[in-house]
Amino acid sequence: RRIASETLGGEAMGLTMAQKNTIRGMLADKQSVKTIAEQYEISQEEVQALAKPKAALSGFMFFCQDYREEAQSQVGSGAGEVQKVLGEKWGQTTDRQHWEKLAEKDKVRHDAEMAKYNAMLEAEAEEEQRMKDEAAAGPSVREVERDEKRARMQEEAARREAAPKKEKKQKVLSAEEKA
């Protein structure tokens, strides 16, 4: 079954609001983008367009990116030990300005992406509400059909009323009926 195949401005097109919300829930549950794309028969980019922006990294996380390899070479590849060494090194670092500046830039990026994401959600909600209002404003299909049938019946009744009436045959009474 084909649900959507086009994108416009980074948004998945052809999906209903419920399907988009389902995909967002699946992404929040850490389901694979590839799996979701295959299930809904849309591109991975369309699925990614529905995802929330990545969170901003802290100064510590940028510090860890810079020093992870050095820490791994000291203690090996044990993740717990590497984190412990990085935490100790961060605690001893007094000049954190470089990483804090990177964190501020990443926070600005995240805020801009979240504003764009929230605007997209609002636009989707407004479009959904507009469609609901539009559907509720006019008569339903059933009401239109009833009106058409009523009009046909009135026309038929008017035509029968306007047609000259046929004279009734006089019933010939038999001798028994006369008596």
Side-chain angles (χ1 to χ4, degrees), residues 3-174:
I3 296 175
S5 64
E6 300 175 18
T7 57
L8 181 65
E11 294 182 39
M13 302 307 300
L15 296 173
T16 65
M17 185 71 157
Q19 290 170 328
K20 289 178 183 180
N21 288 335
T22 301
I23 290 172
R24 287 186 184 105
M26 293 166 83
L27 289 168
D29 291 341
K30 306 289 188 210
Q31 290 191 18
S32 162
V33 170
K34 183 178 178 183
T35 304
I36 297 169
E38 287 173 0
Q39 181 177 344
Y40 284 89
E41 296 182 4
I42 58 177
S43 71
Q44 291 182 28
E45 291 79 23
E46 289 172 316
V47 174
Q48 280 297 107
L50 294 172
K52 259 186 160 175
K54 295 278 185 193
L57 297 178
S58 66
F60 174 69
M61 294 308 293
F62 282 109
F63 175 83
C64 288
Q65 287 177 352
D66 290 346
Y67 287 97
R68 183 169 314 280
E69 289 180 18
E70 182 181 316
Q72 284 176 335
S73 66
Q74 287 178 0
V75 294
S77 62
E81 290 296 318
V82 170
Q83 287 299 326
K84 186 176 179 181
V85 168
L86 288 170
E88 289 171 359
K89 190 166 185 165
W90 176 254
Q92 296 168 356
T93 303
T94 55
D95 185 22
R96 300 177 177 181
Q97 201 173 35
H98 170 70
W99 299 287
E100 295 297 337
K101 199 179 289 183
L102 290 174
E104 281 299 316
K105 285 182 183 177
D106 200 41
K107 180 163 177 33
V108 169
R109 175 211 50 91
H110 177 260
D111 291 343
E113 288 181 6
M114 279 304 291
K116 184 178 175 184
Y117 178 76
N118 288 331
M120 179 183 71
L121 290 180
E122 287 177 23
E124 286 178 6
E126 287 173 4
E127 177 66 18
E128 186 76 10
Q129 187 62 44
R130 185 191 61 75
M131 290 173 62
K132 285 180 182 178
D133 292 345
E134 199 174 275
S140 69
V141 172
R142 186 173 181 188
E143 289 172 337
V144 169
E145 289 173 354
R146 282 181 177 168
D147 289 343
E148 289 172 356
K149 184 175 181 180
R150 224 176 259 121
R152 281 193 313 269
M153 290 175 69
Q154 287 174 348
E155 288 173 10
E156 179 67 25
R159 190 173 44 81
R160 278 184 288 174
E161 184 99 10
K165 295 186 178 181
K166 296 180 183 176
E167 288 185 28
K168 289 186 177 181
K169 280 188 186 178
Q170 291 294 330
K171 185 174 180 183
V172 179
L173 297 174
S174 65

